[in-house]
Amino acid sequence: MTPSTFPPLLSALAMSSVLLLAGCASQGVPVVSTASSSTATELPAPPRNEDFPKRENAVRPQGTFPRLEALRAMRTGMGKDQVRNLLGSPHFSEGAFGVREWNYIFHFRTGAGPEYVTCQYMARFNQNAQTSGLYWNDADCAMLVVPPEVKAVAVVAAPAPTHRVILDTDRLFAPGGGSPADLLPSGRAKLEDLAIEIKRNFGRMRHVAVKGHTDRLGARTHKASLSQQRADTVRGLLVEQGIDGRLVRATGMQDSEPLVQCAKATGTQALTGCLRPNRRMEIEVAGEP
């Protein structure tokens, strides 16, 4: 090889390398600095709960415990490679070509012990394969990733104590029900009155905790679902009545905090009646007058 032939050959090799790299990167889409703002104008309508795929249809049904920093870094205008680097591959079979939606199953620790809550996350893409919408199947899930901002308040001499209300779920919901449609008229009226009382007594609310409790009867999965559904329904009604939803958290406690044990009760009817105090809703409000 002579010096005169070396540069053209080097150029040819460099061009081949560029083409090879371009072929390997064909799955990615360049993201420019204006991508986030441009895709923000293309935001599709938010998905409804039924638009999220059923967990049993996932190809990775076990889900993952995501890094909160990765979820907080998600933005519109990101390419699929960037999303995969942050969150991993989607947990459902989304198709092979022209995929416009990725779905994930994420778990979040609730505190001490092995307990956790499960949420579903959806990333939608536009025709340029850039994220155009990021969604949770439950508003509380977003609060786990980015908690509500806690603003500093002036220290007062005598802060108002936490206001705690216990409501009998047998008087709030139809038997075995937990959805808004299962609320008894008298139960709805009681919750509406409670919302009015909360707004009247607390000029500044710090948080409202809604906890759903069941008794010890029945399957654990059913109790978990029912207690969470009832808590969500009560939370929704309080927000509907004007309480800031960013401050209201709903938690299904199942039968983890019983008030009575009823070890001496005999017979199904007697036991069910004895355990009634355990079937309750607790609403705790912290704030200042």
Side-chain angles (χ1 to χ4, degrees):
M1 179 181 301
T2 65
S4 61
T5 61
F6 181 78
L9 180 57
L10 182 60
S11 298
L13 288 172
M15 183 59 70
S16 299
S17 299
V18 170
L19 292 174
L20 179 60
L21 289 173
C24 293
S26 60
Q27 295 297 320
V29 175
V31 178
V32 297
S33 59
T34 57
S36 181
S37 59
S38 64
T39 53
T41 63
E42 305 168 8
L43 279 177
R48 300 163 298 179
N49 282 343
E50 55 265 31
D51 293 332
F52 286 83
K54 297 184 180 301
R55 292 182 196 168
E56 56 264 32
N57 295 332
V59 295
R60 298 179 180 84
Q62 73 278 10
T64 58
F65 288 85
R67 292 184 301 110
L68 294 182
E69 294 79 8
L71 283 167
R72 291 167 184 161
M74 290 293 295
R75 298 289 188 277
T76 56
M78 300 177 72
K80 290 184 176 179
D81 288 342
Q82 292 178 306
V83 175
R84 186 180 285 107
N85 286 337
L86 286 171
L87 306 181
S89 298
H91 298 152
F92 293 79
S93 179
E94 311 287 11
F97 302 100
V99 176
R100 301 287 289 271
E101 185 178 297
W102 283 4
N103 284 277
Y104 294 85
I105 301 172
F106 290 143
H107 309 299
F108 299 93
R109 299 290 183 190
T110 58
E115 298 296 326
Y116 61 87
V117 296
T118 300
C119 301
Q120 284 184 241
Y121 185 75
M122 178 189 296
R124 283 180 172 172
F125 301 89
N126 61 16
Q127 61 184 0
N128 296 320
Q130 295 169 328
T131 50
S132 58
L134 307 169
Y135 309 98
W136 292 99
N137 67 324
D138 189 317
D140 279 353
C141 296
M143 294 171 64
L144 292 172
V145 178
V146 182
E149 180 182 0
V150 179
K151 297 182 179 179
V153 296
V155 177
V156 294
T162 299
H163 183 67
R164 183 169 179 243
V165 177
I166 298 178
L167 302 176
D168 183 348
T169 53
D170 289 358
R171 297 183 182 277
L172 294 179
F173 294 93
S179 71
D182 295 317
L183 271 174
L184 299 172
S186 58
R188 175 178 288 274
K190 192 168 189 64
L191 290 171
E192 290 175 349
D193 290 343
L194 177 61
I196 293 173
E197 181 183 350
I198 290 173
K199 291 187 292 183
R200 181 173 61 243
N201 292 337
F202 292 88
R204 165 173 276 169
M205 279 178 279
R206 287 188 277 122
H207 71 260
V208 181
V210 179
K211 300 178 181 180
H213 298 264
T214 65
D215 60 28
R216 58 182 168 85
L217 303 178
R220 179 161 295 277
T221 54
H222 173 69
K223 291 184 290 187
S225 174
L226 181 61
S227 63
Q228 185 64 55
Q229 185 183 36
R230 286 176 170 174
D232 289 338
T233 295
V234 172
R235 176 190 182 277
L237 195 145
L238 294 178
V239 173
E240 180 183 301
Q241 295 300 310
I243 295 179
D244 190 346
R246 294 173 299 178
L247 304 179
V248 188
R249 295 291 300 274
T251 306
M253 303 299 294
Q254 305 179 48
D255 60 342
S256 61
E257 297 179 356
L259 299 179
V260 295
Q261 297 295 339
C262 300
K264 297 182 179 180
T266 59
T268 301
Q269 186 173 357
L271 180 59
T272 301
C274 180
L275 291 173
R276 182 170 181 170
N278 294 340
R279 301 189 295 273
R280 67 195 190 278
M281 297 298 308
E282 292 185 358
I283 297 93
E284 295 181 355
V285 187
E288 289 76 39

